[in-house]
Amino acid sequence: MANVKPFRGLRPPKDIAEELACLPYDVMNSQEAAQMAEGKKKSLLRITRAEIECPEVEDIHSEKVYNRALENFRAFQEKGWLVQDDEPKYYIYAQTMNGRTQYGIVGGASCADYENGLIKKHELTRPEKEEDRMVLTRYLNANIEPVFFAYKAVPEIDAIVNEVISNNEPVYDFIAEDGFGHHFWVVNGVEKNKAIQQLFETKVPCTYVADGHHRTAAAARIGLEKTAQNPNHTGDEEYNFFMAVHFPDNQLQIIDYNRVVTDLNGLSEAGFLAELSKAFELENMGSETYKPARLHEFSLYLGGNWYKLTARKGTFNDDDPIGVLDVTILSNHVLGPILDITDLRTSKRIDFVGGIRGLGELKKRVDSGEMKAAFALFPVSMQQLIDIADSGNIMPPKTTWFEPKLRSGLVIHKLD
């Protein structure tokens, strides 16, 4: 059963929470991070993306950048911008998007659960991103950003969450610049916190990584590293846990995660379309943006036109949790055999674009000449994610995208 424990959160005072909180590190590049942090000296981006304060450094993964992150992390605490709670507690973090709110419990997820398969993953990680977050965690000795977990809904946990939010004002409550609402409560009372822990231990057989595979893998590796370094290891130390927000599965919705490629592997546009026609029915939709309407339907943007691609029978297996996925169809019939992109984790010829940016972002990147073609996919369902994780299978990288993204900085977990 799931081991999720309360912890002594490191949090900002209420009056600066909105300025300090930021989007997670991996949804922006360095230039975008600098723009987001401009005029905000308390932004957590000065820790999570410390390269914005090191413009002379070419390698954003250099020792100088990590040292600047540590320097800023210490300064934030010294200035009172981050203050640690006196007692271990759970926290409730809610997000509102398009009038729909989802409520999650922030707690310490067990590194042992990850190693033993009780925290189930559904995607492969990219090595360089996993290594980066592991190094930053080692420097800071803290989980600076939460990961996004799901669990099969438990009515008794829902009841406690409803009681807390109904009878207490949120500690933080703001609408971010992207229009999404963020609401945060502290769970007070020893008995209430104990009840939550016991419910996870008795009612939640496993949890699922929804978003944050790299941070999860990095945190688990740090836990193993610290275990090996401590001759008096007991298993109760803070480094045995990492910060995660646990949302019930019935409140979550996955949106699309799309692909752009740099070239057509030597093919002309006409030649590429001819190759695609072997596995797909093609329809030229013209210059108006076209979004896939159902499973096994894709959009392609190429040469100023949008195309509807419908996978032909035999290109997918609806009885197989991996074979049914549109990312599998794309990999098996386009990326690999036509474009010779076989390792999505390391190839520099492909990039991934979260659906929250809209299909206009795909068009923009192709029209700019940066990319040659773009593929839009129909999103997988939450049940598909659970089925894949339960079966022990792994999706290709960047299959799922959850919104709203968790705001970093509302609470931090120290590893000592």
Side-chain angles (χ1 to χ4, degrees):
M1 304 299 279
N3 184 5
V4 181
K5 62 170 283 186
F7 63 94
R8 293 176 57 217
L10 188 67
R11 303 187 291 111
K14 185 173 183 176
D15 61 333
I16 68 167
E18 184 174 354
E19 178 181 346
L20 188 141
C22 68
L23 286 168
Y25 82 102
D26 57 349
V27 301
M28 68 197 77
N29 58 36
S30 298
Q31 183 179 5
E32 290 169 331
Q35 292 171 347
M36 291 178 185
E38 187 174 358
K40 297 180 179 180
K41 62 182 180 180
K42 302 180 183 72
S43 172
L44 199 77
L45 287 171
R46 302 188 181 280
I47 299 171
T48 62
R49 297 301 298 258
E51 74 270 15
I52 66 177
E53 294 193 356
C54 307
E56 73 286 357
V57 175
E58 294 184 6
D59 180 9
I60 66 172
H61 303 128
S62 69
E63 183 177 352
K64 183 168 185 177
V65 172
Y66 292 122
N67 277 324
R68 176 58 65 89
L70 176 58
E71 178 185 325
N72 287 344
F73 185 42
R74 289 172 173 168
F76 275 39
Q77 294 173 75
E78 291 167 359
K79 293 176 180 179
W81 297 349
L82 290 170
V83 181
Q84 191 166 24
D85 286 329
D86 293 331
E87 301 292 336
K89 301 174 181 182
Y90 291 101
Y91 307 89
I92 296 171
Y93 176 22
Q95 303 170 297
T96 300
M97 180 177 73
N98 300 328
R100 182 174 174 273
T101 303
Q102 57 195 34
Y103 298 86
I105 292 179
V106 188
S110 166
C111 294
D113 280 1
Y114 183 76
E115 294 300 323
N116 295 330
L118 293 181
I119 296 173
K120 299 191 177 185
K121 56 188 177 181
H122 65 272
E123 286 188 7
L124 295 171
T125 57
R126 301 186 78 167
E128 72 279 3
K129 291 181 68 175
E130 183 180 322
E131 181 69 18
D132 170 53
R133 289 303 99 176
M134 190 181 77
V135 173
L136 182 63
T137 302
R138 187 186 295 127
Y139 268 76
L140 302 181
N141 201 32
N143 305 133
I144 200 77
E145 297 187 290
V147 292
F148 190 140
F149 279 11
Y151 66 96
K152 293 179 181 178
V154 175
E156 294 91 335
I157 296 179
D158 291 343
I160 293 177
V161 171
N162 289 334
E163 189 275 328
V164 171
I165 66 173
S166 298
N167 295 304
N168 299 275
E169 292 294 323
V171 177
Y172 312 132
D173 192 7
F174 62 90
I175 297 176
E177 68 282 350
D178 53 16
F180 300 149
H182 301 272
H183 331 282
F184 191 93
W185 292 261
V186 176
V187 179
N188 291 308
V190 174
E191 292 305 316
K192 196 169 296 181
N193 280 280
K194 185 176 180 180
I196 293 173
Q197 187 166 6
Q198 289 178 339
L199 284 167
F200 272 100
E201 290 174 352
T202 58
K203 299 284 187 178
V204 180
C206 61
T207 57
Y208 303 87
V209 183
D211 191 18
H213 283 79
H214 296 94
R215 279 165 280 168
T216 300
R221 287 173 63 187
I222 288 292
L224 290 174
E225 186 178 275
K226 286 182 172 289
T227 295
Q229 294 170 349
N230 184 3
N232 299 313
H233 171 79
T234 66
D236 295 326
E237 298 88 352
E238 285 301 318
Y239 61 71
N240 293 287
F241 300 86
F242 58 94
M243 182 171 57
V245 187
H246 300 76
F247 290 95
D249 65 319
N250 58 9
Q251 295 185 22
L252 297 179
Q253 184 178 18
I254 305 174
I255 64 175
D256 47 306
Y257 212 153
N258 305 311
R259 279 94 167 107
V260 287
V261 294
T262 59
D263 62 84
L264 301 182
N265 196 30
L267 292 170
S268 66
E269 292 181 5
F272 181 57
L273 292 172
E275 289 294 319
L276 288 176
S277 67
K278 297 175 183 178
F280 302 88
E281 296 177 11
L282 272 62
E283 183 178 352
N284 190 331
M285 309 301 289
S287 60
E288 291 297 317
T289 302
Y290 181 76
K291 188 177 180 68
R294 59 186 61 83
L295 195 65
H296 305 332
E297 184 178 291
F298 304 76
S299 294
L300 164 68
Y301 184 67
L302 174 70
N305 288 305
W306 289 91
Y307 296 84
K308 179 168 78 170
L309 277 58
T310 305
R312 297 185 186 276
K313 199 169 183 179
T315 61
F316 53 87
N317 181 359
D318 285 339
D319 296 322
D320 175 43
I322 297 297
V324 70
L325 296 173
D326 285 347
V327 291
T328 302
I329 298 171
L330 193 68
S331 291
N332 289 349
H333 297 282
V334 182
L335 300 180
I338 301 177
L339 297 179
D340 196 28
I341 298 174
T342 56
D343 189 346
L344 303 186
R345 302 174 71 201
T346 60
S347 176
K348 303 301 183 184
R349 297 173 54 219
I350 187 169
D351 199 5
F352 306 89
V353 182
I356 192 64
R357 290 179 175 260
L359 299 195
E361 178 69 12
L362 303 183
K363 182 178 185 298
K364 174 184 172 183
R365 294 187 68 175
V366 173
D367 287 347
S368 70
E370 175 195 2
M371 296 292 175
K372 183 63 179 179
F375 297 90
L377 286 71
F378 190 76
V380 301
S381 68
M382 191 66 209
Q383 189 58 53
Q384 281 180 300
L385 182 154
I386 289 175
D387 288 345
I388 288 166
D390 284 347
S391 69
N393 284 295
I394 297 293
M395 292 178 176
K398 308 298 185 183
T399 301
T400 58
W401 182 280
F402 286 85
E403 279 292 341
K405 291 297 181 185
L406 301 178
R407 286 275 153 167
S408 302
L410 297 179
V411 64
I412 291 167
H413 174 232
K414 298 186 76 173
L415 301 185
D416 54 12

